[in-house]
Amino acid sequence: MPALQTLLLFVATAVAEIVGCYLPWLWLKKGGSVWLLLPAAFSLSLFAWLLTLHPQAAGRTYAAYGGVYIGVALLWLWLVDGIRPTLWDGVGATVALAGMAIIMFAPRSA
């Protein structure tokens, strides 16, 4: 799978996971409607399905996905929560994304 396609799939996966967790958080912490749990369940199901689309072994996919999740979660912090990430947040996300790139794109023997 080409690198850009892999990255975009990971980003879509992260958004699905974050939405699936954010909606119950709104229900529990902010007094949102219990009906938020339905789209949350759909979003978490989508998250799990998206992870299956990677051709790599599950463990490698999950490990690499974590790096992208960190970056997307920090964007969520900024765009949805209205809190600008710090320099150190950016440094941490960069390290995590570098780890993801090494895990997913390092040459391997067949």
Side-chain angles (χ1 to χ4, degrees), residues 11-35:
V11 168
T13 304
V15 170
E17 183 180 11
I18 291 169
V19 168
C21 294
Y22 185 71
L23 294 176
W25 182 86
L26 285 177
W27 170 59
L28 291 168
K29 294 288 200 172
K30 299 291 184 178
S33 169
V34 70
W35 291 104

Side-chain angles (χ1 to χ4, degrees), residues 5 11 14 42 47 66 73 77-78 81-82 84 86 94 105:
Q5 187 178 1
V11 168
F42 173 79
F47 153 71
L77 174 72
W78 193 358
D81 293 332
R84 187 173 183 175
T86 67
T94 300
F105 307 122

